Amino acid sequence: MNKNLLIVYALCGILIATGIAYFFVAYGEYTDWMELLSFGIHDETTEKQVEITLFVTSGLIYVGLALWLIKTRFMKKLPYIAAIIVSSALIITYIASRTVGVPIVGVELYVGKLDMISKVLQSVVIALSFAGLYKMQQSIRALRV
Amino acid sequence: MTITSQNYRRVVLFSILAIVPLLLISNSFTSYGQTNTTTTANQTSTNDGPNSESIKLIDSGIVLIKSGDNEGAKKSLLQAEAGLEDKPNLSAAEKHIEASLQALKDNDKNGALTHAEEAKKGLA
């Protein structure tokens, strides 16, 4: 398998793994929410609903990005750029949620294991997307010469 | 076999390769098998202030975390959090209780204790 293909297959694999990580996080938030409700705690409801929606949507976007890459046979720049933008936005949002706070959720004080894993995976997505774009650019240049 | 279906197969393979370490590192599937005791022995605070009930529950949670009873600790901390509902001036303590609960979920005993102590300080 050549290096270019290795990069794109690894990228797709990591995108799907990141999506699955987000589904796990969303499921964790859902179980937390149910526990809170069972103890009569209702003031977290909006926060939990927003978080669950965000995590499920993020998971779906990551799976969608992987399918988009396959559908375009890894030859279009747009899915790579989208992967970089989505991952960067989510990393920035996460950092904001642990420092200055984000609307509705406020400041969260704990950095969980699954959080760290998803941030590492997102960083790898960004790196591999840039590598994929670079390799694509190299191939286009080689064809022009 | 089309190129696209070959691509899908390879992507599935790489996804599995990426997911396996994720599952190994994460403790998402760890079941909390501890007994569900509700002992409140060795409580360290007997504050009579307006938040004394919540402080007692956090104390109980701390004792249970130290004894390794994560389920019992979770219950105590959730009860303490329920006592802080509709008290926006105590939201910092509430956030620390939530962080302690998250740490418990990750089996992070030190993190759970640290945040439970911080929550108690916020109520004192």
Side-chain angles (χ1 to χ4, degrees), chain A residues 1-10, chain B residues 10-11 13-14:
Chain A
M1 195 186 293
N2 74 39
K3 210 173 173 181
N4 292 11
L5 278 177
L6 192 69
I7 289 170
V8 291
Y9 287 134
Chain B
R10 283 176 183 156
V11 167
L13 182 71
F14 275 89

Side-chain angles (χ1 to χ4, degrees), chain A residues 1 5-6 8-10 12-14 16-18 20-21 24 27-29 31-32 35-36 39-44 47-48 66-67 70-71 73-74 98 104-114 117 121, chain B residues 3-4 6-8 10-12 14-15 18-19 21-23 25-29 71 74-76 78-79 81-82 84-87 92 94-96 98-108 111-112 115:
Chain A
M1 195 186 293
L5 278 177
L6 192 69
V8 291
Y9 287 134
C12 284
I14 304 271
I16 290 172
T18 312
I20 291 169
F24 274 126
Y27 179 70
E29 291 295 335
T31 53
D32 289 351
E35 266 173 7
L36 290 170
F39 278 82
I41 302 165
H42 295 276
D43 59 359
E44 301 278 320
E47 183 184 324
K48 291 291 175 197
L67 296 176
I70 298 166
K71 198 100 177 163
R73 294 188 182 172
F74 318 113
R98 264 57 186 176
I104 302 168
V105 176
V107 180
E108 294 286 326
L109 300 169
Y110 189 70
V111 178
K113 280 179 193 168
L114 209 50
I117 291 168
L121 288 174
Chain B
I3 294 169
T4 310
Q6 276 183 332
N7 283 343
Y8 276 113
R10 283 176 183 156
V11 167
V12 167
F14 275 89
S15 302
I19 292 160
L22 191 153
L23 294 177
I25 299 164
S26 162
N27 284 335
S28 301
F29 297 113
E71 274 301 305
K74 198 166 83 176
K75 277 191 175 176
S76 289
L78 280 165
Q79 282 169 349
E81 193 178 349
L84 301 179
E85 219 189 9
D86 298 325
K87 291 179 183 172
E94 202 177 340
K95 284 282 178 193
H96 277 295
E98 282 168 26
S100 183
L101 286 164
Q102 283 180 329
L104 271 181
K105 213 171 158 188
D106 271 2
N107 272 339
D108 174 8
H115 283 290

Side-chain angles (χ1 to χ4, degrees), chain B residues 2-124:
Chain B
T2 63
I3 294 169
T4 310
S5 67
Q6 276 183 332
N7 283 343
Y8 276 113
R9 269 178 46 188
R10 283 176 183 156
V11 167
V12 167
L13 182 71
F14 275 89
S15 302
I16 292 165
L17 284 174
I19 292 160
V20 168
L22 191 153
L23 294 177
L24 290 174
I25 299 164
S26 162
N27 284 335
S28 301
F29 297 113
T30 309
S31 62
Y32 297 104
Q34 286 90 350
T35 52
N36 190 14
T37 56
T38 52
T39 176
T40 53
N42 301 324
Q43 285 186 0
T44 54
S45 173
T46 52
N47 194 334
D48 285 333
N51 305 315
S52 61
E53 195 57 40
S54 294
I55 292 172
K56 277 180 192 169
L57 285 163
I58 294 170
D59 270 334
S60 164
I62 290 169
V63 171
L64 290 167
I65 293 167
K66 283 177 181 168
S67 71
D69 182 0
N70 287 1
E71 274 301 305
K74 198 166 83 176
K75 277 191 175 176
S76 289
L77 292 172
L78 280 165
Q79 282 169 349
E81 193 178 349
L84 301 179
E85 219 189 9
D86 298 325
K87 291 179 183 172
N89 56 325
L90 298 173
S91 64
E94 202 177 340
K95 284 282 178 193
H96 277 295
I97 293 176
E98 282 168 26
S100 183
L101 286 164
Q102 283 180 329
L104 271 181
K105 213 171 158 188
D106 271 2
N107 272 339
D108 174 8
K109 193 175 170 177
N110 287 336
L113 283 171
T114 307
H115 283 290
E117 293 285 358
E118 286 298 319
K120 213 173 89 176
K121 277 184 205 166
L123 295 173

Side-chain angles (χ1 to χ4, degrees), chain A residues 63-78:
Chain A
V63 174
L65 282 170
L67 296 176
W68 189 14
L69 270 170
I70 298 166
K71 198 100 177 163
T72 55
R73 294 188 182 172
F74 318 113
M75 296 206 278
K76 290 204 169 165
K77 286 182 182 176
L78 216 55

